[in-house]
Amino acid sequence: MSEYFQYGEKEIEFLKKADKKLAAVIEHIGIIKRPVIPDLFTALVHSIVSQQISNKARNTIWKRIENKLNKITPTTIHDLSVEEVQQFGISFRKANYIKSAAQKITNGELNLNSLYKLSDKEVCNQLTQLNGVGIWTAEMLMIFSMQRPNILSYGDLAIHRGLQILYQQEKIDKDTFNEHWKRYTPYASVASLYLWEIASGNTLPK
């Protein structure tokens, strides 16, 4: 059974009161079901595998990994050589990223469970210490694995596009972006779901 990013009436009502334009979009689109990967290490491996490849290629590679490992954990990855990880169909660089992450977790350098007690900024700082994980990847992990409620990614081009379309602005600079984030706080992650829908071509209400 698929799991989805959890939100409901509380978040919807807050955002609708905070922003009339977004309110119309929420009314028009309704609840959005975006799948999440609750296990953070599995989500981390999935995000590295997914970088700069098509959805079709990612799905093929992911199926191979699941079939081989059954459960994707730091230990099951750590027990494989870099070459064995690469044989799933990923680049040597990505295989190294995944192996390095597994090693840091198994040797205690990084405790994924402890991240849940940290602020968004602290989580981002910790995750970006891993090879192959930049700020954008860390933010996507915070939304689509940890289900952090207040993430709006400045580095996400589709978020920028959604904001531009919704507010009819040619460019979203950092100050303008922060104004939107403050308006959506503490439920910016939910606003992100609707901005992605707008950017993907989901028609705005007339």
Side-chain angles (χ1 to χ4, degrees), residues 122-136:
E122 288 167 331
V123 172
C124 195
N125 288 340
Q126 290 280 321
L127 287 175
T128 53
Q129 298 301 308
L130 296 170
N131 295 332
V133 178
I135 292 171
W136 179 84

PDB file of all heavy atoms in Angstrom, residues 122-136:
ATOM      1  N   GLU A 122      19.202  22.362  10.647  1.00  0.00           N
ATOM      2  CA  GLU A 122      20.186  21.403  11.160  1.00  0.00           C
ATOM      3  C   GLU A 122      20.147  20.097  10.367  1.00  0.00           C
ATOM      4  O   GLU A 122      21.186  19.511  10.068  1.00  0.00           O
ATOM      5  CB  GLU A 122      19.924  21.131  12.641  1.00  0.00           C
ATOM      6  CG  GLU A 122      20.281  22.297  13.549  1.00  0.00           C
ATOM      7  CD  GLU A 122      19.740  22.142  14.964  1.00  0.00           C
ATOM      8  OE1 GLU A 122      18.690  21.495  15.154  1.00  0.00           O
ATOM      9  OE2 GLU A 122      20.385  22.671  15.885  1.00  0.00           O
ATOM     10  N   VAL A 123      18.940  19.647  10.021  1.00  0.00           N
ATOM     11  CA  VAL A 123      18.805  18.427   9.204  1.00  0.00           C
ATOM     12  C   VAL A 123      19.492  18.634   7.863  1.00  0.00           C
ATOM     13  O   VAL A 123      20.241  17.779   7.382  1.00  0.00           O
ATOM     14  CB  VAL A 123      17.317  18.045   8.988  1.00  0.00           C
ATOM     15  CG1 VAL A 123      17.193  16.910   7.979  1.00  0.00           C
ATOM     16  CG2 VAL A 123      16.663  17.643  10.301  1.00  0.00           C
ATOM     17  N   CYS A 124      19.248  19.783   7.250  1.00  0.00           N
ATOM     18  CA  CYS A 124      19.862  20.108   5.960  1.00  0.00           C
ATOM     19  C   CYS A 124      21.384  20.102   6.073  1.00  0.00           C
ATOM     20  O   CYS A 124      22.077  19.525   5.223  1.00  0.00           O
ATOM     21  CB  CYS A 124      19.360  21.466   5.483  1.00  0.00           C
ATOM     22  SG  CYS A 124      19.698  21.789   3.748  1.00  0.00           S
ATOM     23  N   ASN A 125      21.903  20.705   7.127  1.00  0.00           N
ATOM     24  CA  ASN A 125      23.363  20.732   7.340  1.00  0.00           C
ATOM     25  C   ASN A 125      23.945  19.332   7.485  1.00  0.00           C
ATOM     26  O   ASN A 125      25.016  19.037   6.959  1.00  0.00           O
ATOM     27  CB  ASN A 125      23.705  21.565   8.590  1.00  0.00           C
ATOM     28  CG  ASN A 125      23.504  23.050   8.365  1.00  0.00           C
ATOM     29  OD1 ASN A 125      23.471  23.510   7.229  1.00  0.00           O
ATOM     30  ND2 ASN A 125      23.351  23.808   9.438  1.00  0.00           N
ATOM     31  N   GLN A 126      23.229  18.466   8.197  1.00  0.00           N
ATOM     32  CA  GLN A 126      23.703  17.093   8.403  1.00  0.00           C
ATOM     33  C   GLN A 126      23.668  16.289   7.100  1.00  0.00           C
ATOM     34  O   GLN A 126      24.642  15.615   6.747  1.00  0.00           O
ATOM     35  CB  GLN A 126      22.826  16.384   9.451  1.00  0.00           C
ATOM     36  CG  GLN A 126      23.001  16.901  10.861  1.00  0.00           C
ATOM     37  CD  GLN A 126      24.233  16.335  11.544  1.00  0.00           C
ATOM     38  OE1 GLN A 126      24.562  15.172  11.398  1.00  0.00           O
ATOM     39  NE2 GLN A 126      24.920  17.176  12.285  1.00  0.00           N
ATOM     40  N   LEU A 127      22.557  16.367   6.391  1.00  0.00           N
ATOM     41  CA  LEU A 127      22.404  15.566   5.169  1.00  0.00           C
ATOM     42  C   LEU A 127      23.373  16.002   4.071  1.00  0.00           C
ATOM     43  O   LEU A 127      23.873  15.179   3.308  1.00  0.00           O
ATOM     44  CB  LEU A 127      20.958  15.637   4.662  1.00  0.00           C
ATOM     45  CG  LEU A 127      19.914  14.866   5.480  1.00  0.00           C
ATOM     46  CD1 LEU A 127      18.511  15.133   4.944  1.00  0.00           C
ATOM     47  CD2 LEU A 127      20.199  13.356   5.465  1.00  0.00           C
ATOM     48  N   THR A 128      23.642  17.307   4.000  1.00  0.00           N
ATOM     49  CA  THR A 128      24.539  17.793   2.942  1.00  0.00           C
ATOM     50  C   THR A 128      26.009  17.488   3.230  1.00  0.00           C
ATOM     51  O   THR A 128      26.869  17.758   2.392  1.00  0.00           O
ATOM     52  CB  THR A 128      24.351  19.302   2.687  1.00  0.00           C
ATOM     53  OG1 THR A 128      24.472  20.020   3.917  1.00  0.00           O
ATOM     54  CG2 THR A 128      23.001  19.598   2.049  1.00  0.00           C
ATOM     55  N   GLN A 129      26.285  16.892   4.379  1.00  0.00           N
ATOM     56  CA  GLN A 129      27.637  16.390   4.634  1.00  0.00           C
ATOM     57  C   GLN A 129      27.897  15.101   3.836  1.00  0.00           C
ATOM     58  O   GLN A 129      29.040  14.699   3.648  1.00  0.00           O
ATOM     59  CB  GLN A 129      27.830  16.076   6.135  1.00  0.00           C
ATOM     60  CG  GLN A 129      27.691  17.266   7.068  1.00  0.00           C
ATOM     61  CD  GLN A 129      28.674  18.381   6.753  1.00  0.00           C
ATOM     62  OE1 GLN A 129      29.869  18.160   6.645  1.00  0.00           O
ATOM     63  NE2 GLN A 129      28.147  19.583   6.587  1.00  0.00           N
ATOM     64  N   LEU A 130      26.825  14.463   3.394  1.00  0.00           N
ATOM     65  CA  LEU A 130      26.962  13.224   2.617  1.00  0.00           C
ATOM     66  C   LEU A 130      27.316  13.554   1.172  1.00  0.00           C
ATOM     67  O   LEU A 130      26.766  14.498   0.590  1.00  0.00           O
ATOM     68  CB  LEU A 130      25.651  12.426   2.640  1.00  0.00           C
ATOM     69  CG  LEU A 130      25.199  11.895   4.010  1.00  0.00           C
ATOM     70  CD1 LEU A 130      23.780  11.339   3.905  1.00  0.00           C
ATOM     71  CD2 LEU A 130      26.161  10.828   4.522  1.00  0.00           C
ATOM     72  N   ASN A 131      28.210  12.777   0.582  1.00  0.00           N
ATOM     73  CA  ASN A 131      28.556  12.950  -0.825  1.00  0.00           C
ATOM     74  C   ASN A 131      27.316  12.696  -1.685  1.00  0.00           C
ATOM     75  O   ASN A 131      26.601  11.724  -1.479  1.00  0.00           O
ATOM     76  CB  ASN A 131      29.655  11.969  -1.239  1.00  0.00           C
ATOM     77  CG  ASN A 131      30.959  12.238  -0.523  1.00  0.00           C
ATOM     78  OD1 ASN A 131      31.236  13.365  -0.136  1.00  0.00           O
ATOM     79  ND2 ASN A 131      31.764  11.212  -0.322  1.00  0.00           N
ATOM     80  N   GLY A 132      27.096  13.586  -2.629  1.00  0.00           N
ATOM     81  CA  GLY A 132      25.970  13.408  -3.549  1.00  0.00           C
ATOM     82  C   GLY A 132      24.666  14.006  -3.057  1.00  0.00           C
ATOM     83  O   GLY A 132      23.641  13.905  -3.729  1.00  0.00           O
ATOM     84  N   VAL A 133      24.691  14.633  -1.878  1.00  0.00           N
ATOM     85  CA  VAL A 133      23.474  15.253  -1.335  1.00  0.00           C
ATOM     86  C   VAL A 133      23.687  16.756  -1.207  1.00  0.00           C
ATOM     87  O   VAL A 133      24.459  17.218  -0.368  1.00  0.00           O
ATOM     88  CB  VAL A 133      23.088  14.653   0.036  1.00  0.00           C
ATOM     89  CG1 VAL A 133      21.843  15.353   0.591  1.00  0.00           C
ATOM     90  CG2 VAL A 133      22.854  13.158  -0.074  1.00  0.00           C
ATOM     91  N   GLY A 134      23.001  17.508  -2.063  1.00  0.00           N
ATOM     92  CA  GLY A 134      23.031  18.967  -1.977  1.00  0.00           C
ATOM     93  C   GLY A 134      21.816  19.472  -1.218  1.00  0.00           C
ATOM     94  O   GLY A 134      21.004  18.675  -0.724  1.00  0.00           O
ATOM     95  N   ILE A 135      21.668  20.784  -1.170  1.00  0.00           N
ATOM     96  CA  ILE A 135      20.560  21.380  -0.409  1.00  0.00           C
ATOM     97  C   ILE A 135      19.211  20.933  -0.962  1.00  0.00           C
ATOM     98  O   ILE A 135      18.311  20.569  -0.211  1.00  0.00           O
ATOM     99  CB  ILE A 135      20.671  22.923  -0.404  1.00  0.00           C
ATOM    100  CG1 ILE A 135      21.886  23.357   0.414  1.00  0.00           C
ATOM    101  CG2 ILE A 135      19.411  23.569   0.168  1.00  0.00           C
ATOM    102  CD1 ILE A 135      22.227  24.830   0.305  1.00  0.00           C
ATOM    103  N   TRP A 136      19.058  20.955  -2.302  1.00  0.00           N
ATOM    104  CA  TRP A 136      17.779  20.565  -2.897  1.00  0.00           C
ATOM    105  C   TRP A 136      17.417  19.130  -2.531  1.00  0.00           C
ATOM    106  O   TRP A 136      16.282  18.842  -2.132  1.00  0.00           O
ATOM    107  CB  TRP A 136      17.815  20.735  -4.426  1.00  0.00           C
ATOM    108  CG  TRP A 136      16.532  20.326  -5.069  1.00  0.00           C
ATOM    109  CD1 TRP A 136      15.406  21.092  -5.213  1.00  0.00           C
ATOM    110  CD2 TRP A 136      16.223  19.050  -5.649  1.00  0.00           C
ATOM    111  NE1 TRP A 136      14.414  20.365  -5.838  1.00  0.00           N
ATOM    112  CE2 TRP A 136      14.895  19.119  -6.124  1.00  0.00           C
ATOM    113  CE3 TRP A 136      16.940  17.867  -5.821  1.00  0.00           C
ATOM    114  CZ2 TRP A 136      14.270  18.043  -6.744  1.00  0.00           C
ATOM    115  CZ3 TRP A 136      16.319  16.787  -6.441  1.00  0.00           C
ATOM    116  CH2 TRP A 136      14.999  16.879  -6.904  1.00  0.00           C
TER     117      TRP A 136
END
